[in-house]
Amino acid sequence: LSKLEHPNIAKVFDHFVENEHHYEVLEYIDGLDLRRFVKERGPQPEDFVLNWAEQICEILVYLHSQNPPIIHRDLTPDNLVLRVDGQLVLIDFGAANAFVGTATGTMVGKQSYMPMEQLRGRSVPQSDIYSLGGTIYFLLTGRDPTPLEVSQIKSSDKLPMTLNSLLAKCTALEVTERFRSSEDMLTALRKIREQRAVQAIAE
């Protein structure tokens, strides 16, 4: 983790063991985590959320392109800090691990944002995509997603439902039904944002 160099990832400076507990020394990021931000300001507009989703997805592309890929395994609103310049920073790599084949790992992460394979201790890069889908749902609604369900905006929420297909593709219960990679998801996000920009100009 200390080898990672990305402007939107909190730098891991050091680690040490004391009284049989492991500690990491992380870069301090000045800002609000997204859970607190939404708690104070309410659900966020779709365009804000799409901007943030693109930033987060760019981070995942970087992590998953490492050799071997690094899976965060705890991508939640609590671990994303919004800096004063509007950029998001991913923090808390306590759960992250390098993905090696089908090795069984420990069950980590917060339940509402964890896919089934992660509960079984078999995280894959698409597990982070599931967590990103849950995070998008939280930002749009102000509510944590229901564990082990496809996240969808409902008509009773009285919110736009235009991102439901994106949410479904992220939070599909089967890995094979999600985006194949973070690169594919990033392409889809950029296409949605471009279409919305063209529509806004036309209007």
Side-chain angles (χ1 to χ4, degrees):
L1 293 175
S2 62
K3 295 176 182 178
L4 296 176
E5 291 285 349
H6 192 283
N8 301 95
I9 295 176
K11 183 70 178 169
V12 179
F13 291 122
D14 200 0
H15 73 280
F16 60 92
V17 181
E18 187 174 297
N19 297 327
E20 299 184 358
H21 287 81
H22 290 259
Y23 296 88
E24 288 177 353
V25 182
L26 286 174
E27 174 188 6
Y28 173 71
I29 307 297
D30 187 14
L32 283 179
D33 67 74
L34 289 183
R35 180 174 296 282
R36 186 175 167 192
F37 186 90
V38 170
K39 185 177 180 181
E40 292 181 358
R41 307 190 186 191
Q44 296 299 296
E46 286 187 343
D47 287 331
F48 281 30
V49 174
L50 285 168
N51 175 27
W52 291 337
E54 185 174 340
Q55 289 186 45
I56 300 165
C57 206
E58 287 171 350
I59 297 171
L60 292 184
V61 168
Y62 174 77
L63 291 176
H64 296 167
S65 68
Q66 301 302 302
N67 188 19
I70 291 176
I71 307 169
H72 191 272
R73 299 198 300 173
D74 196 16
L75 184 69
T76 68
D78 310 78
N79 290 334
L80 290 155
V81 174
L82 183 64
R83 294 191 315 218
V84 291
D85 64 358
Q87 291 294 301
L88 287 175
V89 179
L90 181 61
I91 63 169
D92 191 357
F93 274 78
N97 75 325
F99 174 65
V100 184
T102 56
T104 300
T106 333
M107 189 189 76
V108 293
K110 296 170 183 66
Q111 189 176 7
S112 292
Y113 298 85
M114 291 173 61
M116 180 62 75
E117 71 274 5
Q118 190 166 324
L119 284 167
R120 293 171 175 154
R122 295 183 178 274
S123 300
V124 293
Q126 291 97 323
S127 303
D128 282 343
I129 291 175
Y130 181 96
S131 301
L132 175 49
T135 298
I136 292 171
Y137 176 84
F138 171 82
L139 296 172
L140 291 169
T141 65
R143 299 192 309 270
D144 288 316
T146 303
L148 304 180
E149 280 191 14
V150 176
S151 295
Q152 293 281 269
I153 309 294
K154 300 177 177 63
S155 56
S156 57
D157 293 325
K158 297 180 179 178
L159 292 168
M161 301 168 67
T162 47
L163 296 184
N164 268 351
S165 59
L166 175 73
L167 287 170
K169 189 77 171 172
C170 292
T171 60
L173 300 185
E174 296 295 329
V175 173
T176 53
E177 295 177 5
R178 292 177 214 152
F179 288 103
R180 289 180 301 173
S181 66
S182 45
E183 289 95 337
D184 284 357
M185 182 176 177
L186 183 58
T187 299
L189 282 167
R190 287 174 173 167
K191 185 175 181 181
I192 292 170
R193 294 193 72 195
E194 287 171 6
Q195 290 172 341
R196 291 171 72 93
V198 170
Q199 183 179 355
I201 291 169
E203 290 174 354

